Amino acid sequence: MASLRDIKSKITSTKKTSQITKAMQMVSASKLSRAEENAKAYVPYMAKIQEVVGAIASGTSDSGHPMLTSRPVKKTAYLVITSDRGLAGAYNSNVIRAVANAIAERHSSKDEYVVLAIGRMGRDFFQKRGSNVIGEVIGLPDQPAFSDIKEIARRAVGMFTDGTYDELYMYYNHFVSAISSEVTEKKVLPLTDIAVETGTTASYEFEPSAEAILEVLLPQYAESLIFGALLDGKASEHASRMSAMKSATDNAADLISNLTLVYNRARQAAITQEITEIVGGAAALE
């Protein structure tokens, strides 16, 4: 009977776990809906600022602005967007692996790159491996606002402008659907291909001058790229966590089914043995 109690205990604990994972799945589904709306709502703004900046950059090719100019690369910065916690499938590991592989391929020394981390998982990974993490943001809400990352975004752009590093790459999970996301590498700085990306034919008149407006818009555009990637990544995070919790719930249901079958068989065997012993005892008395 001790064996039956153990099996029954496992069934009970697994049912409790499945209730937790089911609740987490439903919470993530709710968060995903809002995060997806936020990411989509940000697209028109991104498209318009990219169009305007591209139009100005195309007309002021001799601007010489440091954000538009490539220079010899002595140090590279990697902006890594992950989550603050796990239970999201391969969401964090895929991004971290992509960054680690890129660093291994491009650099032979830790002095050749720096890391800026948005999210605890990415920060902890690179800190434990001795990488130079020069900026971090953790504890972001599930639906972040630009003010939550304003400081690190402006720092990332400012450190490129003042020559701390010579290029900035950003890694994040691009939201494709509720069951799919893609690890994306985007070169944020320098903005050498911005005019090609826009392809706009619209004409604008600028006051006081195109160069003066470009001086203000370029940092804002680079910062908006970072915030847009964060919104995209948050949608992917909630989708990944929802899928992971659904898989956990389904696995728990399968385990409960198997344990119930084992329990019933063990109980039937115990009852059969008891009947056999009773019959055997009665026969012995005769």
Side-chain angles (χ1 to χ4, degrees), residues 46 91 95 102 107 119 125 134 144 207 265 270:
M46 279 296 305
Y91 173 81
V95 172
H107 309 290
F125 177 88
I134 61 173
E207 187 70 31
R265 286 177 176 174

Side-chain angles (χ1 to χ4, degrees), residues 120-132:
R120 189 187 306 274
M121 303 299 287
R123 183 205 65 177
D124 291 350
F125 177 88
F126 288 103
Q127 278 188 344
K128 289 178 181 178
R129 282 152 184 79
S131 299
N132 186 14

Side-chain angles (χ1 to χ4, degrees), residues 20-147:
I20 295 173
T21 56
K22 180 65 175 179
M24 293 178 68
Q25 175 190 343
M26 296 175 66
V27 170
S28 294
S30 176
K31 291 178 179 178
L32 169 61
S33 178
R34 185 177 173 189
E36 189 176 358
E37 290 178 1
N38 291 342
K40 289 181 178 179
Y42 194 68
V43 172
Y45 169 78
M46 279 296 305
K48 178 54 66 174
I49 190 172
Q50 187 172 352
E51 176 186 328
V52 174
V53 171
I56 304 175
S58 299
T60 57
S61 57
D62 58 343
S63 169
H65 194 285
M67 293 179 65
L68 295 173
T69 306
S70 295
R71 54 185 185 243
V73 178
K74 298 178 181 178
K75 182 171 288 189
T76 302
Y78 295 93
L79 178 63
V80 186
I81 299 177
T82 59
S83 68
D84 287 327
R85 59 188 188 277
L87 299 178
Y91 173 81
N92 292 305
S93 60
N94 286 343
V95 172
I96 291 172
R97 186 182 303 110
V99 179
N101 290 341
I103 289 174
E105 292 174 3
R106 297 170 182 167
H107 309 290
S108 57
S109 169
K110 292 181 179 179
D111 295 331
E112 296 177 356
Y113 69 92
V114 294
V115 175
L116 297 104
I118 297 178
R120 189 187 306 274
M121 303 299 287
R123 183 205 65 177
D124 291 350
F125 177 88
F126 288 103
Q127 278 188 344
K128 289 178 181 178
R129 282 152 184 79
S131 299
N132 186 14
V133 180
I134 61 173
E136 63 181 66
V137 175
I138 60 175
L140 288 176
D142 292 317
Q143 313 299 336
F146 178 72
S147 57

